Amino acid sequence: MEPRLLEKLDNFFSQFKTQRYRKGEILVRAGDSPSGIFYLKKGRVREYAISTKGEEIVVNIFKPSAFFPMSWAINNAPNIYFFEAMEDLELVRAPREEVIEFIKREPEVLYNLLSRVYIGTDGLLSRMTYLMSGSAYERLVAELIIVAKRFGERNSKQITIETTERDLASQIGMTRETVSREIRKLRAVGLISFGKKSLVVKDIKRLEEELLAS
């Protein structure tokens, strides 16, 4: 995000009190009406639903400078998702009406929000494509590409992602055992390495080529 735009967001949300949540705490529960709009300053938040089988299905992950839930704010849509701290958080909660007025008078902020929506939509469509027709291997590779581009830290060709097998499994609707098996295949061909809480994509272009060739 451009420094000038980030400064506008920080200046607006700084008028509200900073709150802290511990890893694993729930910010909003499905079925509850949110108490305001959250502006994320530190940490990550996952948005997920619970399937009829009781499985968690991750639909989005928010990183710093994100503000949510905007579908509820703009469209008054009922909240059907859980929002959970993936790590210790610092965030601000602002009244919905004041956030709406802010983005209406700040076209740059509104444009950036729209851009984020389309990035998220593209990721969801890509995920849906491979969920409906791809193998477990293709689904995992597609998810790694999406997560690496959105949340990874790049160092030369390598991209490091803070994630676990459990996180990946919930994001693509597979068992942890299946994810573990497919990760071993990616390791064997030298495309990734995986530590306890982080995964390294060694070359994102090679990973994209692997998906096209599979």
Side-chain angles (χ1 to χ4, degrees):
M1 181 182 292
E2 294 181 6
R4 184 179 63 176
L5 184 57
L6 183 59
E7 183 179 4
K8 283 187 178 182
L9 289 170
D10 286 342
N11 287 341
F12 170 76
F13 284 103
S14 65
Q15 64 185 302
F16 306 104
K17 185 179 178 180
T18 297
Q19 301 180 350
R20 291 172 174 81
Y21 286 79
R22 301 298 298 272
K23 179 180 178 180
E25 284 192 88
I26 301 295
L27 283 69
V28 185
R29 295 183 179 276
D32 290 348
S33 181
S35 54
I37 301 301
F38 294 94
Y39 175 64
L40 192 55
K41 298 172 66 176
K42 179 182 177 182
R44 293 178 299 158
V45 171
R46 66 189 188 117
E47 177 184 5
Y48 67 92
I50 303 294
S51 72
T52 54
K53 297 181 180 179
E55 300 169 335
E56 295 180 2
I57 303 172
V58 177
V59 296
N60 203 359
I61 295 174
F62 298 97
K63 58 183 180 179
S65 78
F67 47 101
F68 58 88
M70 292 309 293
S71 180
W72 166 78
I74 295 174
N75 302 316
N76 203 28
N79 174 54
I80 60 173
Y81 300 108
F82 292 86
F83 295 82
E84 179 185 329
M86 297 180 68
E87 50 212 28
D88 291 350
L89 305 178
E90 287 185 10
L91 47 76
V92 171
R93 186 176 62 199
R96 175 171 65 176
E97 294 77 11
E98 293 190 39
V99 175
I100 294 298
E101 289 303 314
F102 169 65
I103 62 175
K104 281 182 177 179
R105 67 174 181 264
E106 292 289 352
E108 284 185 311
V109 174
L110 183 58
Y111 181 84
N112 179 262
L113 176 61
L114 184 62
S115 174
R116 294 194 216 188
V117 169
Y118 274 106
I119 289 171
T121 300
D122 287 344
L124 284 173
L125 291 174
S126 177
R127 186 182 295 167
M128 286 175 58
T129 299
Y130 288 99
L131 283 175
M132 290 187 291
S133 60
S135 64
Y137 185 78
E138 291 170 326
R139 288 160 62 184
L140 177 61
V141 172
E143 185 67 19
L144 290 178
I145 292 169
I146 293 169
V147 174
K149 288 183 174 180
R150 288 192 65 191
F151 305 107
E153 294 185 7
R154 184 179 290 272
N155 180 11
S156 187
K157 286 186 177 181
Q158 295 190 348
I159 300 177
T160 301
I161 309 164
E162 291 185 18
T163 191
T164 64
E165 290 182 355
R166 176 182 175 274
D167 292 338
L168 291 170
S170 65
Q171 286 163 213
I172 51 181
M174 295 195 303
T175 65
R176 183 172 177 176
E177 292 74 18
T178 301
V179 168
S180 182
R181 183 185 67 237
E182 302 306 322
I183 282 175
R184 287 197 295 269
K185 295 178 184 178
L186 288 167
R187 276 175 164 166
V189 294
L191 288 173
I192 67 166
S193 60
F194 208 164
K196 188 175 181 180
K197 293 184 178 180
S198 64
L199 181 148
V200 176
V201 175
K202 296 187 175 181
D203 188 332
I204 190 70
K205 289 184 178 180
R206 282 187 59 205
L207 195 61
E208 290 173 328
E209 290 168 359
E210 180 73 9
L211 181 60
L212 292 173
S214 61

